[in-house]
Amino acid sequence: MQERAKGWHRSGLSVCLVPTMGALHDGHLSLIAKARSVVGPDGVVIVSIYVNPTQFGPHEDFNAYPRTLDSDCERCREAGTDVVFAPVDAEMYPDGRAGSFSCFVVEKKLSQSMEGASRPTHFEGVTTVVAKLFHICLPDSSVFGAKDFQQVAVIRRMVQDLNFPLEIVVAPTHRESDGLAMSSRNQYLGSKERVEAPTLFRILSACRHKVQESLKPVPMPELRQICDSYITQNPLVRLDYLECFHPDSLIPQDCAKPGDRLAIAAYLGSTRLIDNCEL
Ligand code: PAF
């Protein structure tokens, strides 16, 4: 992969990487379309497909995570991808899954709250594998989805602090018609859970409405009350967190104002979903 990427650079072609864990849905296709618009018709769009073991906690869904490589490759082809890079574990973590791997990339500030607090080893798995993918694919740019807002902030910081010579591009969250953010994990939802899953988006929308119509910053307890009222009506939803934070520093805000970001994580049964919006 690296040799091919060096060849493209020698030929003056621009290379864009879309890192994914597969189980591709329309949200991923919009990332691929974004990548194409960044490199133009002659550039190279790489989609990496790798379910990265080091970003899953011990009791998370690594084994259950959907693996659909053949249909993913088909979708990539239809979407105009030039190359799919789909390594196996032994190529990414020689000597086994990750146990004997001894170098990790750790972001220490932006990765502590929200997803990092709920999933303590998650971000070091993400930054490590994304750093490896950047070194392997040598992209000039890489596209990530805004649904994983904190992930984007952490990766941007890694790129800045460690001088990766590439641009991070963010594509907007793709939603189902009822507002549910597209995610490979939506496949886990049972039919009753699927009916209640848009509650996350409804909570974010109601909070945004509250903040936008208010003349002064809204204390977080008021937004938590709005959130509680939705959850009472949707008993399958179990809240993990609702956090308001500054979009760049990710510093939590006690009072929410326009321009801040609001993020939510919740379980439906054993499925954990996340979403976020600008207030
Ligand atoms: O967002 C994801 O799908 C993953 O965290 C990523 C960036 C592909 C790293 O494994």
Side-chain angles (χ1 to χ4, degrees):
M1 183 70 242
Q2 222 173 32
E3 285 309 313
R4 289 188 74 172
K6 284 181 189 167
W8 294 321
H9 286 296
R10 277 194 296 273
S11 311
L13 298 175
S14 179
V15 178
C16 186
L17 171 67
V18 182
T20 81
M21 299 205 298
L24 301 184
H25 48 67
D26 288 353
H28 291 114
L29 299 190
S30 73
L31 304 184
I32 297 171
K34 184 80 179 176
R36 175 58 61 202
S37 76
V38 170
V39 296
D42 299 330
V44 181
V45 173
I46 307 173
V47 173
S48 67
I49 299 180
Y50 179 58
V51 184
N52 170 39
T54 61
Q55 70 188 77
F56 289 80
H59 305 295
E60 293 184 357
D61 56 340
F62 173 70
N63 288 323
Y65 202 85
R67 288 161 172 84
T68 54
L69 187 58
D70 290 344
S71 57
D72 287 347
C73 287
E74 199 45 51
R75 300 206 82 180
C76 283
R77 189 175 292 116
E78 285 164 14
T81 304
D82 295 299
V83 173
V84 170
F85 175 62
V88 296
D89 283 346
E91 291 170 292
M92 292 302 270
Y93 298 106
D95 303 327
R97 243 178 78 172
S100 54
F101 209 63
S102 70
C103 291
F104 288 85
V105 178
V106 182
E107 194 287 330
K108 289 191 164 185
K109 291 198 171 118
L110 305 176
S111 59
Q112 300 304 304
S113 60
M114 297 185 284
E115 288 305 282
S118 292
R119 308 178 67 191
T121 56
H122 172 66
F123 280 121
E124 74 173 52
V126 170
T127 41
T128 300
V129 83
V130 171
K132 284 168 68 65
L133 291 168
F134 287 168
H135 287 311
I136 294 166
C137 300
L138 303 174
D140 299 293
S141 56
S142 186
V143 182
F144 293 84
K147 182 174 80 71
D148 297 301
F149 192 87
Q150 189 178 13
Q151 169 172 280
V152 176
V154 168
I155 289 170
R156 268 192 202 287
R157 190 63 198 252
M158 174 186 83
V159 163
Q160 182 188 322
D161 284 5
L162 300 183
N163 306 88
F164 280 86
L166 61 95
E167 183 197 353
I168 299 297
V169 178
V170 184
T173 302
H174 228 67
R175 298 185 180 280
E176 304 287 355
S177 55
D178 58 8
L180 175 65
M182 287 189 189
S183 162
S184 306
R185 290 191 166 98
N186 292 350
Q187 299 183 24
Y188 298 148
L189 298 170
S191 54
K192 289 187 180 139
E193 292 165 349
R194 175 64 188 81
V195 170
E196 293 194 13
T199 306
L200 279 73
F201 176 66
R202 292 187 192 126
I203 290 170
L204 293 176
S205 305
C207 291
R208 181 175 49 202
H209 185 250
K210 173 81 187 166
V211 168
Q212 285 185 350
E213 73 170 8
S214 171
L215 296 175
K216 50 185 189 350
V218 180
M220 274 310 283
E222 280 186 40
L223 295 190
R224 296 219 159 84
Q225 250 172 21
I226 293 175
C227 178
D228 287 348
S229 69
Y230 278 85
I231 287 183
T232 311
Q233 291 162 40
N234 293 276
L236 299 181
V237 180
R238 191 160 50 84
L239 185 69
D240 182 354
Y241 63 75
L242 180 77
E243 287 285 356
C244 175
F245 57 93
H246 185 277
D248 300 325
S249 66
L250 304 195
I251 291 173
Q253 309 289 304
D254 295 334
C255 290
K257 56 187 185 317
D260 288 342
R261 202 94 196 171
L262 190 68
I264 188 167
Y267 289 90
L268 284 109
S270 54
T271 305
R272 187 170 179 282
L273 301 179
I274 59 173
D275 201 350
N276 71 84
C277 72
E278 185 182 338
L279 286 174

